[in-house]
Every structure is written in C-alpha cells, then in structure tokens.
Amino acid sequence: FAAAAIGSSEIHDLVSRFTAAYVTELSQNHGDTVRIDYEISPIDSRLAMADCPVPLQAELKSQNSVGKVNIQVSCKQKHRWSLYVPVDIKMFRSVVIAVAPVDRGVRLTENQLELREVDVGRLNGSYFVDKSQVVGMQAKRLLRPDKPITANQLQQPLLIKRGETVVMTATSGSLRVKIAGVALSDGHLGEQISVRNSQSKRVVEAKVSAYGQVSIVM
C-alpha cells in the first residue's frame, strides 16, 4: 500500500479552490443581484489518505446549487478513494418582506412591504424581488413580520362573493352585451366561476375581470 501522505490541509485547499471557482461562476450567472458567501466545514486534522499518483479531483455532489452541499474529493487511480466535504454556500438577495404582521385576507399595500437582503438558498417556494409583484395581492394566511413573502402565501384578491349580483360582459366579435347575473361561488381575479343569468336563469361559466364583473366570450 502507498504511504498515507495526503492530509487535511491539502484536501481543504483543493475544496477551497474548487468552491471559489464555483461561486465565481454562480455570481456571473446571477449578475449583480446576488451576494454569495461560503464556509467549508472543518476537516479532521488527523485525516490521512493514501498518496495519489495523479492530481486529486473535486466535484459538486448535491442536488442543490446553494445551501448545504457536498464536495467530493477523489483519487481516480491506483488506490482509489473519495471523501465528501460539506460546504455551506449562502446566496444573499434583496427580496420582499412584510414589515409588520399581515392578517389572512388582507390586500397588501406598498407601505406594508420592504426589500431586505436574505439568504435565498434557504427559502422554500418562489420569492419576490420587486414590491410591485406583491402590491394588491391577498394574504392566504398570516404573514409574519421580517420574513420573506413567498408565492404560496398569496393569492389574487377576492373580487366577487357568492350570491352577489355581478355584471356579465358577453363579447362576440365587435359586439358587447352587459347582462346582470348572480355569482354562484366566490371568485378571485382571473378565476372561472359559475354565474346565473338573472333573466334567462341559465348558468354559464365566466371569468372574473374586476370587482363585481365577469366576462364571457361567445
């Protein structure tokens, strides 16, 4: 067997060089919108691996591109071996947060929102980088202060309530007709809901277009 000549410092240096190059590539892909930091987990100073006749290789072995990832260090010849070194890659970006608690059902206004830098690698779900993407949306559940707002916490505002009288705008080519109707379910912007024509009593499917208004294409 070859002498155990490769220690923790050599492996750490390789992981450091590999991670630095990887982070540079990530930064180039995301541009000036992100700031990336990383921390390599300590390697046992007593570590001693068999000498390798070829340069050691390092590669990313994780499904995630950021967050807790593993860097595999390997010797590909003779006394083949490999080990994994955990690295914590943090990607910081300015995202939309709520500055105070927002109750369920409340429509968000700009003064309830703020942009703040957070580690997006730890967020579950899609986040927002512009307040205009959130203003006017409705909270599906309580939004906690100082926490990033994610897409699964929001919905389009409720514009129609079941049982309300609505205006149905029926369009056929250049012809537009407005008819009174009754909503048979709640409706958010852009949703299809059932509406009963107040005159004919016929039930049709219509798209919610504004407060108290739905549209039908004939």
Side-chain angles (χ1 to χ4, degrees):
F1 290 91
I6 297 177
S8 60
S9 60
E10 185 173 349
I11 291 172
H12 184 279
D13 288 346
L14 175 60
V15 172
S16 181
R17 292 194 302 273
F18 175 86
T19 307
Y22 175 69
V23 164
T24 297
E25 183 180 351
L26 276 180
S27 298
Q28 291 172 345
N29 291 339
H30 290 277
D32 296 333
T33 60
V34 303
R35 176 176 65 83
I36 304 177
D37 290 337
Y38 66 90
E39 182 178 358
I40 301 171
S41 295
I43 302 172
D44 191 337
S45 60
R46 297 168 296 178
L47 181 70
M49 305 301 294
D51 195 12
C52 189
V54 295
L56 297 178
Q57 295 186 20
E59 54 189 317
L60 182 69
K61 287 290 185 179
S62 292
Q63 293 182 340
N64 300 328
S65 58
V66 296
K68 300 288 188 181
V69 302
N70 285 313
I71 308 300
Q72 183 187 49
V73 177
S74 304
C75 175
K76 300 293 188 181
Q77 288 189 12
K78 202 175 180 180
H79 301 286
R80 293 173 179 266
W81 55 261
S82 65
L83 56 84
Y84 293 89
V85 179
V87 178
D88 187 9
I89 300 177
K90 298 180 179 181
M91 180 182 292
F92 295 95
R93 188 171 189 180
S94 292
V95 303
V96 180
I97 68 160
V99 296
V102 177
D103 290 332
R104 176 184 176 183
V106 171
R107 292 186 68 183
L108 290 158
T109 60
E110 187 169 2
N111 62 8
Q112 294 173 301
L113 308 171
E114 185 177 282
L115 287 174
R116 189 173 299 173
E117 189 180 73
V118 301
D119 180 8
V120 296
R122 283 170 167 71
L123 295 185
N124 293 319
S126 302
Y127 52 85
F128 301 93
V129 297
D130 190 324
K131 289 190 284 186
S132 66
Q133 297 172 303
V134 176
V135 170
M137 297 288 281
Q138 188 176 48
K140 292 170 66 175
R141 59 180 70 92
L142 174 68
L143 302 182
R144 300 187 182 280
D146 304 320
K147 299 291 185 181
I149 297 173
T150 55
N152 59 4
Q153 297 174 319
L154 304 178
Q155 63 185 358
Q156 293 288 351
L158 183 67
L159 301 184
I160 292 173
K161 292 184 179 180
R162 180 180 179 181
E164 284 185 340
T165 298
V166 298
V167 176
M168 298 188 292
T169 301
T171 304
S172 179
S174 59
L175 180 64
R176 299 182 69 193
V177 179
K178 291 185 181 294
I179 312 162
V182 177
L184 300 182
S185 62
D186 292 345
H188 297 86
L189 181 64
E191 282 186 338
Q192 294 278 347
I193 64 170
S194 297
V195 180
R196 180 182 291 114
N197 187 314
S198 295
Q199 293 181 350
S200 68
K201 306 305 179 183
R202 179 187 172 197
V203 176
V204 297
E205 294 299 309
K207 185 177 181 179
V208 178
S209 55
Y211 277 108
Q213 299 185 42
V214 298
S215 60
I216 305 168
V217 178
M218 307 298 289

